[in-house]
Amino acid sequence: MSMPVRKAVMPVAGLGTRFLPATKATPKEMLPVVDKPAIQYVVEEAVEAGINDVLFVTGRAKYGLEDHFDRLPFLEQALEAKGDHDRLRQVREVADLADVHYVRQGEPLGLGHAVLMAAMHVGNEPFAVLLGDDIIDRRNPVLTSMMNVRARHGGSVLCLMEVDPSQIHMYGCAAVEPTGDEGVVKVTDLVEKPDAATAPSNYAVIGRYVLDARVFTELEQTRPGRGGEIQLTDALRKLAVEVPPGEGGGVVGVVFKGRRYDTGDKLSYLQAVVQIAADRDDLGPRFRRWLRETVDSWPS
Ligand code: G1P
């Protein structure tokens, strides 16, 4: 029996330079998508997959994020005094959503380094990594599928998405072989952000991982790679290519075909806001009507 996945690690130490000046004083993970910060969708996704222990790997100036997942007595008292029970419930629910922990990544040495910061908290059990920039549509619970795949295949599980070859230089890229298990591929090689000309495939690694604790041993030995950063992709390559399955090696990928938004990218962020607003029961009907009328009024 494989051990259950109980803990999620969320690296959130990035500076959010793609969204300046909005992110000068506000963590990029706190940018609102309709009426919730982007990171709340990610925490909710982990909780819906049955994981309620969340470790944020933070950096400087992330107080807004920490406050968001904490109780806020003066706000609660003000809402209570006004009799605004609905908002009071929402505010309290965020604080109670998960059992939240923090560790600071003193220096921004890369995603691999951020994940290594979680070693002490995670210990010797499989765990999930969710990157805060990616919002996955809740109708496609890929994290749950990945946890089921880990139970069947062992090792580590990546989330792979086929992208246009012109986009592959923005992602980790996996060479794959079929497994015989529908929608699951064996990862035979990994390269961080390759050029289109040398990429082994158009399978991009997106920001959801279910990892064997053996990755920590590999990360400790991983030297700076692409961009001078300690890359998670390089440690995962070792697990895929060098470490035997009996010792925590072996990497498979779940091929994701659902909707995913990169809220670190301006166009994709706008798409997330529009799609999530359009899907909402409260706002959706009026918003969709307005959107249709507005789009129709644009010159083609
Ligand atoms: C990171 C990983 C990359 C992965 C991507 C997914 O890159 O290093 O392998 O494809 O996340 O979003 P980043 O976007 O942090 O540069």
Side-chain angles (χ1 to χ4, degrees), residues 31-280:
L31 293 179
V33 176
V34 189
D35 52 6
K36 289 191 249 181
I39 192 70
Q40 190 176 331
Y41 292 88
V42 182
V43 173
E44 286 173 352
E45 180 192 336
V47 170
E48 278 172 29
I51 303 176
N52 52 23
D53 182 305
V54 172
L55 176 73
F56 285 115
V57 183
T58 65
R60 267 162 208 88
K62 296 287 173 173
Y63 306 113
L65 188 148
E66 292 171 21
D67 286 348
H68 186 69
F69 292 100
D70 199 358
R71 297 296 288 261
L72 211 50
F74 75 89
L75 177 63
E76 293 181 22
Q77 280 154 19
L79 291 170
E80 191 137 39
K82 282 207 289 183
D84 194 341
H85 300 295
D86 204 31
R87 291 203 176 86
L88 179 62
R89 181 184 49 74
Q90 286 178 17
V91 162
R92 282 197 179 139
E93 264 174 17
V94 186
D96 294 338
L97 200 53
D99 186 3
V100 176
H101 309 267
Y102 298 91
V103 60
R104 291 264 292 235
Q105 184 188 16
E107 293 177 276
L109 298 181
L111 179 59
H113 179 253
V115 171
L116 186 54
M117 296 282 104
M120 188 88 92
H121 181 81
V122 169
N124 193 25
E125 51 182 283
F127 64 105
V129 174
L130 291 86
L131 303 189
D133 278 351
D134 283 352
I135 292 186
I136 305 264
D137 193 307
R138 55 188 305 188
R139 287 165 290 195
N140 311 109
V142 72
L143 188 59
T144 304
S145 313
M146 293 168 71
M147 285 157 58
N148 293 337
V149 166
R150 149 92 197 176
R152 291 204 297 279
H153 290 259
S156 295
V157 186
L158 309 184
C159 186
L160 300 177
M161 194 174 76
E162 288 196 73
V163 299
D164 189 90
S166 66
Q167 305 293 300
I168 198 73
H169 68 279
M170 301 194 303
Y171 299 94
C173 174
V176 301
E177 281 172 4
T179 59
D181 192 353
E182 171 82 25
V184 183
V185 289
K186 180 175 158 58
V187 173
T188 56
D189 200 3
L190 279 166
V191 198
E192 179 67 7
K193 304 196 174 96
D195 296 336
T198 56
S201 76
N202 66 334
Y203 281 101
V205 175
I206 63 168
R208 300 292 181 268
Y209 307 78
V210 173
L211 301 179
D212 191 278
R214 173 69 193 243
V215 74
F216 295 128
T217 313
E218 303 311 319
L219 282 170
E220 274 164 12
Q221 292 158 18
T222 301
R223 305 267 65 88
R226 174 124 195 148
E229 297 189 341
I230 297 174
Q231 297 290 353
L232 179 60
T233 303
D234 293 343
L236 293 173
R237 181 179 185 278
K238 288 248 186 70
L239 293 185
V241 177
E242 291 175 20
V243 183
E247 294 171 24
V251 178
V252 294
V254 168
V255 181
F256 177 68
K257 294 206 159 86
R259 279 208 191 108
R260 164 253 181 194
Y261 306 98
D262 174 3
T263 56
D265 173 75
K266 286 178 203 170
L267 183 64
S268 189
Y269 171 79
L270 288 172
Q271 290 166 344
V273 173
V274 170
Q275 185 69 59
I276 289 171
D279 287 341
R280 286 257 299 241

